[in-house]
């Protein structure tokens, strides 16, 4: 994935945060968040009331490690950020 030409030239990347038994995505997210990548990372967040999904930006490793599990035990970013 990291060497694919589409990934290489993309500036904004939407990606899910894996759960148990899913393809791990943490290394891809870390590569996107690396300061030298020049890329922005967006991950899904589900509104618990409407169950609508939004793609929210995580800006760096700090945002990534501070994500919280939702009702389905899926890690999500804080809506308000840091």
């Amino acid at each position: 994935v990291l060497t694919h030409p589409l990934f290489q030239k993309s500036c904004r990347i939407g990606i899910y945060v894996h759960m148990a038994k899913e393809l791990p995505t943490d290394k891809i997210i870390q590569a996107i968040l690396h300061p030298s990548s020049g890329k922005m990372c967006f991950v899904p967040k589900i509104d618990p009331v409407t169950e609508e999904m939004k793609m929210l930006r995580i800006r760096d490793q700090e945002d990534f490690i501070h994500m919280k599990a939702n009702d389905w035990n899926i890690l999500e970013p804080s809506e308000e950020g840091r």
Side-chain angles (χ1 to χ4, degrees), residues 6-7 9 16-17 19-20 23-24 28 31 35-36 44-46 57-59 63-65 68 76 78-79 81:
L6 286 174
F7 179 86
K9 67 181 179 180
Y16 70 91
V17 180
M19 295 177 56
L23 178 71
I28 299 168
S36 67
K45 179 172 178 75
I46 305 295
R57 183 175 178 195
I58 52 174
R59 298 183 183 279
D63 282 351
F64 184 53
I65 62 173
K68 304 282 187 223
E76 295 181 324
S78 165
E79 186 124 17

Side-chain angles (χ1 to χ4, degrees), residues 4-6 8 14 21 30 32 38 47-49 51 55 65 69 75:
H4 193 281
L6 286 174
Q8 294 281 316
K21 299 184 181 181
Q30 289 171 358
I32 297 167
D47 182 304
V49 176
E51 295 187 358
M55 296 299 284
I65 62 173
L75 293 177

Side-chain angles (χ1 to χ4, degrees), residues 14-75:
I15 187 168
Y16 70 91
V17 180
H18 74 277
M19 295 177 56
K21 299 184 181 181
E22 291 182 336
L23 178 71
T25 58
D26 53 331
K27 299 289 186 204
I28 299 168
I29 293 170
Q30 289 171 358
I32 297 167
L33 293 174
H34 193 277
S36 67
S37 78
K39 301 181 185 313
M40 290 186 275
C41 184
F42 297 85
V43 296
K45 179 172 178 75
I46 305 295
D47 182 304
V49 176
T50 65
E51 295 187 358
E52 292 179 349
M53 182 177 72
K54 297 182 196 177
M55 296 299 284
L56 297 183
R57 183 175 178 195
I58 52 174
R59 298 183 183 279
D60 52 31
Q61 293 288 338
E62 193 75 14
D63 282 351
F64 184 53
I65 62 173
H66 285 98
M67 291 195 301
K68 304 282 187 223
N70 65 17
D71 292 341
W72 299 282
N73 206 30
I74 301 170
L75 293 177

